């Protein structure tokens, strides 16, 4: 069976929100654990879908994970500049990892970016400990852009990557 990538439907929002929040919590990417204020953002798939495109990976009717694709001009783009698209909140359920869902979601973001006139690159921010995601990015040709690294809050340095299309 192949993994299907599709737009998230309202019926997916709660489950994808829990997959995303659960992945960040289980992997230790939230400094304040269950009390981290970013959990609300991770769970708010409906809010993201109203401002960007949310994609899900599905296998045999089961959601594996998702990602938020921010086209140029999206209010969800944190670091994208002119001619750049961005993706955020890539998450795959722990039990679904190793099946290719993360890479398929990133590839879908690249396809969407290539389809937008004037988009020359895709950028992203990631935490230092997200090593599995870093391997996907490097395998797909992304390069580190340390000059763009940034900290949305004190003591949280986000690393950045860019892929020229």
């Amino acid at each position: 069976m192949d993994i299907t990538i599709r737009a998230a439907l309202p019926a997916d929002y709660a489950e994808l929100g829990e997959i995303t929040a659960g992945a960040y919590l289980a992997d230790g990417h939230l400094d304040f654990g269950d009390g981290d204020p970013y959990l609300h953002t991770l769970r708010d798939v409906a809010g993201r879908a109203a401002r960007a495109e949310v994609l899900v990976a599905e296998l045999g009717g089961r959601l594996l994970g998702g990602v938020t694709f921010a086209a140029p001009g999206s209010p969800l783009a944190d670091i994208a500049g002119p001619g750049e698209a961005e993706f955020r909140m890539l998450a795959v359920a722990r039990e679904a990892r190793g099946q290719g869902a993360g890479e398929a979601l990133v590839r879908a973001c690249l396809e969407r970016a290539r389809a937008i006139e004037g988009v020359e690159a895709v950028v992203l921010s990631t935490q230092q400990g997200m090593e599995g995601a870093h391997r996907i990015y490097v395998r797909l040709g992304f390069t580190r852009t340390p000059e763009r690294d940034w900290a949305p809050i004190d003591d949280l340095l986000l690393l950045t990557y860019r892929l020229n299309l």
Side-chain angles (χ1 to χ4, degrees), residues 7 41 52 59 64 83 132 143 149:
T41 301
L59 180 64
L64 306 178
T143 56
D149 292 354

Side-chain angles (χ1 to χ4, degrees), residues 140-160:
L140 294 178
F142 283 83
T143 56
R144 279 276 293 119
T145 52
E147 69 279 4
R148 293 175 79 169
D149 292 354
W150 64 292
I153 60 171
D154 290 342
D155 299 323
L156 177 61
L157 177 67
L158 295 181
L159 309 179
T160 60

Side-chain angles (χ1 to χ4, degrees), residues 78-104:
D78 281 331
I79 64 166
E84 295 176 332
E86 184 171 344
F87 67 85
R88 301 183 53 197
M89 295 176 241
L90 173 66
V92 175
R94 196 163 253 235
E95 66 276 6
R97 293 183 185 169
Q99 299 177 45
E103 184 170 330

Side-chain angles (χ1 to χ4, degrees), residues 25-164:
L25 278 169
D27 293 344
H29 300 308
L30 297 172
D31 290 342
F32 304 107
D34 287 332
D36 199 295
Y38 195 54
L39 273 173
H40 172 74
T41 301
L42 295 172
R43 287 186 171 120
D44 185 16
V45 177
R48 290 198 305 276
R51 298 175 289 152
E53 185 177 10
V54 178
L55 304 173
V56 295
E58 183 179 65
L59 180 64
R62 183 172 60 102
L63 288 187
L64 306 178
V67 68
T68 300
F69 175 75
S74 168
L76 288 182
D78 281 331
I79 64 166
E84 295 176 332
E86 184 171 344
F87 67 85
R88 301 183 53 197
M89 295 176 241
L90 173 66
V92 175
R94 196 163 253 235
E95 66 276 6
R97 293 183 185 169
Q99 299 177 45
E103 184 170 330
L105 287 161
V106 173
R107 286 184 183 278
C109 289
L110 297 177
E111 288 173 17
R112 278 160 175 74
R114 286 184 178 107
I116 300 171
E117 187 175 336
V119 172
E120 301 169 352
V122 175
V123 296
L124 66 99
S125 301
T126 181
Q127 292 183 32
Q128 291 178 336
M130 296 179 168
E131 294 158 353
H134 300 173
R135 286 190 292 276
I136 292 171
Y137 307 147
V138 170
R139 186 169 49 250
L140 294 178
F142 283 83
T143 56
R144 279 276 293 119
T145 52
E147 69 279 4
R148 293 175 79 169
D149 292 354
W150 64 292
I153 60 171
D154 290 342
D155 299 323
L156 177 61
L157 177 67
L158 295 181
L159 309 179
T160 60
Y161 286 79
R162 184 175 200 268
L163 175 69
N164 293 328

